[in-house]
Amino acid sequence: MSVLSATGQQQLEDNLVAAGVLTAAQLADAKEAAKKAGKPVLSYLVESQLVTDEQLTKATAEVTKVPYVNLLSANIDPKILSLLPQEIAERYMAVPLGEMQHRLVVAMLDADNIQAVDFLSNRIGRPLKVYVASEASIRAILSQYASRLDTQMDGLVAADFNGAESEVSVDNKKGKKDSEIKTIVQDSPISKALNAILEFAARNRASDIHIEPLEKELKVRCRIDGVLREIMRLPKNTEPALISRIKILSNLKIDEHRSPQDGNFTVLVDDKKIDLRIAIAPVVWGEQVVIRLLDKSGTSLKLEDMGYAGRALRTIRKGLERPNGMILTSGPTGSGKSTSLYALIQEILSDTINIVTLEDPVEYKMEGINQIQVNAEVGLSFASGLRSILRQDPDVVMVGEIRDKETAQLAVQAALTGHLVFSTLHTNSAAGILPRLLDMGVEPFLIASTVHTVIGQRLVRKIPDDGKQSYQSSASETAVIQTAIGSLLPQSEDKIQSVAEDLGYKSLPLATQNAYTLSKGTDSPSTPGGYKGRIGLYEVFEVSEAIQGLIMKSATSTDIQKQAQVEGMITMRQDGYLKALDGRTTIAEINRVAAEDNA
């Protein structure tokens, strides 16, 4: 951002008021508050969200007479990006945009930096046309460098991978320490290839990397916002070296190719530590590697931020007030169950209670709680660990997952003896948790007397605010919405506010409308398919006396689901449609993730 003189700043403030971004009263109040806080007025305006960074950048450009450009939804040709190396673009916060009258157009955060402009002009070898852009705009283009992973790899795949792999294997057999091996191969083509893959995944918010051997090549896919996308293919001769490199970093046996192996290590990307969980398994054409990326730096543990609202949120908080019993959450792998448990802990975290967790692995490291890592190699299983925990005078116990009969029975006993127990199970719906415990051999009367709050969940992709477009629902979409949530929506104008408050939304449309306002995103490199990030769909119910009666009769999950809905539970599918009406996701996403039988 340009440094303005006193006159320039005054003109900038006047422009913000003239453009209707701020009122004169708001500006005066902000100046007073900034003075008390000891902060510059412009910084305070952005921090207090009175002015967006984009608005401030545009207003500054008008004062400094430098042309402004908004790049949040721009898509730059890879050939243009290749004119300026990524490391230089990141260092100077400058990105190439195109060509104009034999000059290269470049957007910069600090367009007044003459030295930087001269350096970039000399580096590119041609004169520049400079625009100013916000930091968010510059980073949106920088993220497109990461999407050019195949280009980054071109120079690496031609290297002698087989020779490098052989050298690593020999060194390992000589008995060198892992740290020495890592130093030896740090600058090898293998390391550069792996680093490029890991950096691409981290910068694109991937949760998993799949390295899959085929007959004649190696396929690399990333799971971004819950959906797998192929990002590149490598020659078959890169496979042995790449797999060996991963094994070395994970402290695994590089000469073991017939048995599955699990390991972990940590990488640093953009000054953020990212924990990696490695799972290697033999397949027909070699060894498959799945890398789970655990980057919790951008994860909110507030229930509201995760998508809990209305009745579901009230039911959970009511359950958290109870001193004992069980709160269970269910869903498939990768549906955010562990994050929900951590959010529950965050809600009740206090120096007055002892919270102990048993996890595999410990994904979030939190102060104020005692976290235990399951280690099957030394006999520390969920069951044995839970026995130990109950001798540590806990008030709250979190068991990462109930996997077997023994763990289930111990968790129930913990709830019976005055502890509040959180845990997860793999079922398709919230109602499926209770029959699942029956299948594990837990007595019906024990389930009925201990389990008091049940959560089912899925994750759907979110529509980002940048590039969001509104449209009117089609006849088929309108019919689907009315069928799923018509009974929940307000039936008359005077009911809108009360129904919206009950369901946890600012406003809701009438059930009888001929069309509803929905939203969709803009497809771009930073928002593939028009999505960025994920939000939860939830169904939560309290185990009432009626549901306890069904448990005692060993009722099916369908019977329990129907009773929970009679008592007011919002299903995952209904929760999804409400979020679609709120502009957070799309009908297509809800239909992809939430099954019909949850309606």
Side-chain angles (χ1 to χ4, degrees):
M1 185 69 67
S2 301
V3 178
L4 298 175
S5 64
T7 303
Q9 178 158 327
Q10 182 61 53
Q11 185 181 347
L12 172 60
E13 293 171 2
D14 292 343
N15 287 355
L16 289 173
V17 173
V21 177
L22 283 171
T23 65
Q26 285 177 319
L27 179 59
D29 291 343
K31 282 184 173 182
E32 186 65 28
K35 185 177 180 180
K36 289 181 180 178
K39 295 180 179 180
V41 176
L42 299 182
S43 298
Y44 180 82
L45 289 173
V46 174
E47 288 177 12
S48 58
Q49 298 182 342
L50 292 170
V51 175
T52 67
D53 191 34
E54 208 66 45
Q55 290 170 329
L56 186 59
T57 302
K58 184 177 181 180
T60 304
E62 292 173 358
V63 172
T64 58
K65 308 301 182 186
V66 177
Y68 159 82
V69 62
N70 185 327
L71 303 172
L72 293 175
S73 59
N75 188 7
I76 308 303
D77 189 329
K79 292 180 181 178
I80 297 296
L81 289 178
S82 66
L83 295 175
L84 191 63
Q86 182 176 355
E87 59 272 17
I88 293 178
E90 290 176 343
R91 186 189 313 164
Y92 290 95
M93 289 299 283
V95 291
L97 305 181
E99 296 178 294
M100 179 188 296
Q101 298 174 346
H102 306 293
R103 293 190 293 174
L104 183 67
V105 180
V106 174
M108 298 181 66
L109 184 62
D110 185 4
D112 288 341
N113 189 335
I114 298 174
Q115 290 180 329
V117 173
D118 288 343
F119 172 82
L120 293 173
S121 179
N122 292 332
R123 179 67 174 78
I124 297 169
R126 58 196 299 187
L128 304 181
K129 170 66 175 175
V130 180
Y131 282 74
V132 67
S134 69
E135 182 176 352
S137 282
I138 299 292
R139 294 198 181 280
I141 305 304
L142 288 175
S143 68
Q144 295 180 31
Y145 277 96
S147 66
R148 296 170 55 247
L149 181 60
D150 52 347
T151 305
Q152 298 177 42
M153 301 293 286
D154 285 346
L156 298 175
V157 296
D160 183 6
F161 277 83
N162 289 328
E165 189 271 335
S166 175
E167 176 188 340
V168 172
S169 300
V170 170
D171 281 343
N172 196 47
K173 290 174 183 176
K174 286 178 182 176
K176 287 184 179 287
K177 295 180 180 178
D178 290 329
S179 59
E180 294 175 330
I181 297 170
K182 292 173 186 176
T183 302
I184 289 170
V185 300
Q186 191 63 40
D187 296 323
S188 68
I190 311 165
S191 291
K192 291 178 180 178
L194 180 58
N195 288 345
I197 293 170
L198 293 176
E199 286 181 6
F200 172 87
R203 288 171 177 165
N204 284 273
R205 314 176 320 281
S207 60
D208 301 88
I209 303 169
H210 290 238
I211 301 175
E212 303 166 333
L214 305 178
E215 182 178 8
K216 296 180 180 179
E217 56 190 345
L218 194 65
K219 182 168 71 173
V220 181
R221 297 192 290 172
C222 284
R223 188 178 295 279
I224 300 174
D225 292 334
V227 178
L228 273 173
R229 288 170 40 204
E230 182 176 325
I231 59 171
M232 66 181 304
R233 294 199 177 205
L234 292 170
K236 187 68 173 177
N237 72 314
T238 64
E239 180 188 334
L242 196 58
I243 303 301
S244 291
R245 175 62 177 160
I246 294 170
K247 287 181 177 179
I248 288 168
L249 291 172
S250 309
N251 294 321
L252 303 177
K253 298 176 182 177
I254 66 171
D255 56 350
E256 175 58 72
H257 305 290
R258 297 173 298 174
S259 300
Q261 297 188 73
D262 297 327
N264 61 80
F265 64 95
T266 301
V267 295
L268 194 66
V269 177
D270 297 334
D271 296 325
K272 292 189 298 183
K273 282 187 177 180
I274 299 177
D275 294 329
L276 307 178
R277 281 164 45 195
I278 315 299
I280 301 178
V283 293
V284 173
W285 299 115
E287 290 180 278
Q288 179 189 28
V289 180
V290 177
I291 303 174
R292 169 66 58 88
L293 289 82
L294 301 173
D295 175 17
K296 306 306 175 188
S297 58
T299 303
S300 171
L301 293 179
K302 291 184 178 179
L303 292 171
E304 292 90 345
D305 292 343
M306 293 165 57
Y308 287 99
R311 298 177 190 174
L313 189 58
R314 292 194 297 273
T315 302
I316 287 175
R317 286 186 167 147
K318 182 180 177 182
L320 290 173
E321 291 174 357
R322 300 179 64 162
N324 53 49
M326 297 179 74
I327 299 179
L328 300 177
T329 180
S330 70
T333 301
S335 60
K337 300 187 300 296
S338 296
T339 306
S340 285
L341 293 186
Y342 282 108
L344 297 181
I345 288 176
Q346 191 70 38
E347 283 272 319
I348 62 172
L349 190 59
S350 166
D351 286 338
T352 62
I353 58 175
N354 179 23
I355 303 175
V356 186
T357 74
L358 188 63
E359 307 169 60
D360 184 22
V362 175
E363 295 186 14
Y364 298 80
K365 296 178 177 64
M366 297 176 65
E367 289 188 11
I369 64 175
N370 302 295
Q371 297 171 276
I372 300 173
Q373 169 76 55
V374 168
N375 188 347
E377 293 182 1
V378 297
L380 180 55
S381 63
F382 278 110
S384 62
L386 188 49
R387 287 195 192 90
S388 173
I389 285 176
L390 295 179
R391 294 192 291 270
Q392 297 175 19
D393 185 32
D395 297 291
V396 178
V397 176
M398 185 188 106
V399 182
E401 184 182 346
I402 294 178
R403 297 178 177 173
D404 51 45
K405 177 180 179 180
E406 186 179 12
T407 306
Q409 291 178 335
L410 285 168
V412 167
Q413 289 299 321
L416 280 173
T417 52
H419 305 91
L420 184 60
V421 179
F422 303 150
S423 193
T424 69
L425 284 92
H426 285 282
T427 62
N428 291 326
S429 65
I433 286 179
L434 305 175
R436 177 77 179 113
L437 289 173
L438 287 171
D439 291 341
M440 286 184 169
V442 181
E443 293 293 338
F445 73 92
L446 291 176
I447 300 172
S449 57
T450 56
V451 180
H452 57 69
T453 308
V454 180
I455 306 167
Q457 64 183 83
R458 296 286 191 282
L459 292 176
V460 293
R461 292 177 289 175
K462 287 195 303 183
I463 304 170
D465 291 333
D466 298 329
K468 183 184 289 188
Q469 305 171 38
S470 298
Y471 71 97
Q472 294 300 301
S473 60
S474 65
S476 59
E477 287 174 328
T478 302
V480 167
I481 291 171
Q482 289 178 340
T483 300
I485 59 174
S487 60
L488 299 175
L489 295 176
Q491 303 296 319
S492 59
E493 293 280 352
D494 61 321
K495 297 289 185 182
I496 289 178
Q497 186 174 351
S498 61
V499 172
E501 288 177 358
D502 177 47
L503 298 178
Y505 294 89
K506 291 182 180 179
S507 181
L508 288 172
L510 290 173
T512 54
Q513 288 186 193
N514 294 324
Y516 299 95
T517 300
L518 301 174
S519 299
K520 60 182 179 180
T522 302
D523 188 17
S524 72
S526 61
T527 56
Y531 300 102
K532 185 175 184 179
R534 290 191 288 177
I535 193 170
L537 306 183
Y538 304 98
E539 55 186 24
V540 183
F541 67 86
E542 182 179 7
V543 178
S544 63
E545 289 187 9
I547 293 176
Q548 286 177 344
L550 291 174
I551 296 170
M552 296 297 292
K553 298 175 184 176
S554 298
T556 65
S557 59
T558 302
D559 294 333
I560 295 172
Q561 176 97 358
K562 288 178 180 177
Q563 181 59 37
Q565 286 183 252
V566 167
E567 295 176 5
M569 182 188 79
I570 308 295
T571 68
M572 281 185 276
R573 192 174 181 84
Q574 290 173 329
D575 188 35
Y577 283 134
L578 289 170
K579 286 182 169 69
L581 290 177
D582 199 42
R584 299 198 218 176
T585 188
T586 65
I587 298 294
E589 265 297 281
I590 306 307
N591 293 338
R592 180 181 69 87
V593 170
E596 286 286 351
D597 57 8
N598 286 330

